[in-house]
Amino acid sequence: MADLPYRGRGTDQEDDEEEEEEEIDETGYKTIKDAVLFTIDVSPSMLTRSQTSDFKKEDRDSPTSAALKCAYALMQQRIISNPNDMMGILLFGTEQSRSQNDDGSGRGGPAYPHCYLLADLDVPTASDVKRLKSLVEDGEESAQLLVASQEPVSMANVLFCANQIFTTKVPNFSSRRLFLVTDNDSPHSADKALNSAAAVRAKDLYDLGVVFELFPISRPEHSFDRSKFYDDIIYRATPNDPDAPAPLSGVNKASSTGDGITLLQSLLSNINSKSALRRALFSNLPFEIGPGLKISVKGYIVIKRQEPVRTIYVYLNGEKAQIAVGSSTQMAEDTARAVEKAEIRKAYKFGGETIPFTKEEITSIRNFGDPVLRIIGFKPLDTLPIWATTRPSTFIYPSEDDFIGSTRVFSALQQKLVKSQKMGIAWYIPRRNATPVLAAIIPGNEQTSDQGVQTIPAGLWIQALPFADDIRQNPETTLVHASDSLIDMMRTVMQQLQLPKA
């Protein structure tokens, strides 16, 4: 390896601005505020406890109680992991009515009949957590509130109530999501007008930027069918939407009410899988498959190490604690004189001499071209050794923003690579000022969980290949072989340690 270049001393801020690294862009993954509104159905079937032979109370939770416990668990997680995120709980189908603008007294008639706002959309407070805890643990309080209405509730009214909550509480949030838990796949089976009204309200939520998430619950005697109603009001995730949740694979599986524990675990698993936001590492990166054939893709980091946040210094010797503000000064070695910023030059050492460069020359030297992912060849998958995995892989998915038809071309390439068991070798520059690397483009098939929920979609993975200097040489070791007599004696010892029948 050649001698490392020498640079004249500069401020840390200048170094950070000129040396853009991958970790800098990843810090924005968890800084986006999120607002989640739980919308839970309180119908007679949702309040029916599971009929099991076990006498434990927690094994006989109704779907509504399981959904409230799930919301309670998610609220506790958010307070610790994402204290700035907002969360609310809206019950519909209840005998009582309560919205943002009334106190539940019913004077003048409720604004949204049979809709009860249990927790307004806001940062959870201690009182919200205590009230939700008492509701899920106290049977008397839940029996007073969780009473199904005699009249059917209009889903258009429910969605309009949710629209008002999002508009008034979080008008500028970039992430707003509606979680709907229900077992009724056809709330307006005989009324097309109500179905049309609900579709209009759902379109209003979609135009507002609200992501609609459905958590269907199936009963032993009836399987939830999304095609009856919810396929018309829930817009599926599109490949070019980086914030859209992963769609369900094939036939949409629903949670089953076999018993309370199974239902609660299923809801928690599904909601936790969709509670974490996905943010693109890069957007609309040109993907050159061949001469004259270019599409655009977006990249995602699926697994990233959680690193501690940067700490600050606090001065405690004064009357009150204050944040310490640091400052640095460049000093000349011989005269201890303060060096001005204009006097500092960057230089590289070649052949024992220090050669200075201007800022423009340094920029031109470090510029290897615009960001691109360019395939330069193909190789069999089995030629990629396991030791070549030195960095986390990046998952890429097509984007239709710059090039229409990117999805079809991307899908054809992915299917061909899977069928041929080959990988692409590409020239990879993820962003400006990034160091180019050779990368392997590895095809990946769709993966689903036992419940049928898609965990990893089908797509392509970018695996940066290491340079020769990145591979650490194994230390030289002398292999010592035992004699045959020692091996026979140790074989007897190992046979004594084994259980009967091996």
Side-chain angles (χ1 to χ4, degrees), residues 23-35 81-86 172-175 276-280 304 306-307 309-310:
E23 288 76 12
I24 296 177
D25 285 345
E26 297 172 13
T27 57
Y29 270 55
K30 294 189 177 181
T31 59
I32 297 178
K33 294 182 180 179
D34 184 30
S81 60
N82 304 87
N84 294 325
D85 288 354
M86 293 188 178
N172 299 322
F173 270 40
S174 58
S175 174
L277 295 176
R278 297 187 302 161
R279 288 291 177 266
K304 181 182 182 299
Q306 183 65 41
E307 299 175 354
V309 296
R310 186 175 182 179

Side-chain angles (χ1 to χ4, degrees), residues 287 373 375 417 422-426 439-443 460-462:
F287 184 15
L373 178 64
I375 291 183
L417 291 178
K422 291 184 178 297
M423 64 178 179
I425 305 298
I441 301 179
I442 304 173
L460 298 176
W461 298 82
I462 300 178

Side-chain angles (χ1 to χ4, degrees), residues 40-90:
I40 303 174
D41 190 3
V42 188
S43 61
S45 58
M46 288 284 289
L47 295 175
T48 303
R49 294 180 179 273
S50 175
Q51 302 296 329
T52 61
S53 58
D54 200 337
F55 294 98
K56 293 183 179 180
K57 179 181 178 182
E58 57 270 18
D59 289 341
R60 295 180 287 108
D61 282 335
S62 64
T64 299
S65 299
L68 286 173
K69 289 184 177 181
C70 183
Y72 174 61
L74 183 62
M75 183 178 291
Q76 290 178 309
Q77 294 175 7
R78 288 296 178 94
I79 290 177
I80 298 174
S81 60
N82 304 87
N84 294 325
D85 288 354
M86 293 188 178
M87 182 175 170
I89 301 175
L90 175 65

Side-chain angles (χ1 to χ4, degrees), residues 121-168:
L121 188 60
D122 205 341
V123 177
T125 61
S127 59
D128 296 332
V129 178
K130 290 176 64 177
R131 184 184 182 188
L132 189 56
K133 180 181 179 181
S134 62
L135 183 63
V136 298
E137 294 180 355
D138 190 356
E140 296 182 0
E141 183 175 352
S142 61
Q144 295 178 0
L145 178 60
L146 303 180
V147 178
S149 64
Q150 301 297 327
E151 302 175 356
V153 64
S154 171
M155 288 303 299
N157 205 29
V158 175
L159 298 179
F160 189 52
C161 179
N163 194 330
Q164 185 200 30
I165 294 174
F166 282 116
T167 304
T168 56

Side-chain angles (χ1 to χ4, degrees), residues 93-94 96-97 110-116 151 153-154 157-158:
T94 57
Q96 303 181 42
S97 301
Y112 305 99
H114 309 302
C115 294
Y116 191 90
E151 302 175 356
V153 64
S154 171
N157 205 29
V158 175

Side-chain angles (χ1 to χ4, degrees), residues 199-219:
V200 172
R201 297 303 182 189
K203 181 64 166 57
D204 294 340
L205 285 172
Y206 179 80
D207 294 338
L208 192 64
V210 177
V211 178
F212 203 136
E213 287 286 359
L214 176 65
F215 297 93
I217 296 177
S218 292
R219 299 187 298 272

Side-chain angles (χ1 to χ4, degrees), residues 208-285:
L208 192 64
V210 177
V211 178
F212 203 136
E213 287 286 359
L214 176 65
F215 297 93
I217 296 177
S218 292
R219 299 187 298 272
E221 68 277 3
H222 177 71
S223 179
F224 196 96
D225 188 2
R226 297 175 58 134
S227 62
K228 292 183 178 179
F229 175 74
Y230 286 99
D231 279 350
D232 296 331
I233 69 171
I234 296 181
Y235 295 84
R236 297 304 181 92
T238 56
N240 60 341
D241 185 4
D243 300 331
L248 297 179
S249 171
V251 179
N252 292 282
K253 301 295 182 68
S255 300
S256 174
T257 57
D259 58 76
I261 292 296
T262 304
L263 174 61
L264 180 60
Q265 292 177 348
S266 177
L267 281 176
L268 281 173
S269 176
N270 291 342
I271 290 177
N272 285 332
S273 65
K274 298 181 180 182
S275 61
L277 295 176
R278 297 187 302 161
R279 288 291 177 266
L281 176 64
F282 52 79
S283 299
N284 302 326
L285 178 71

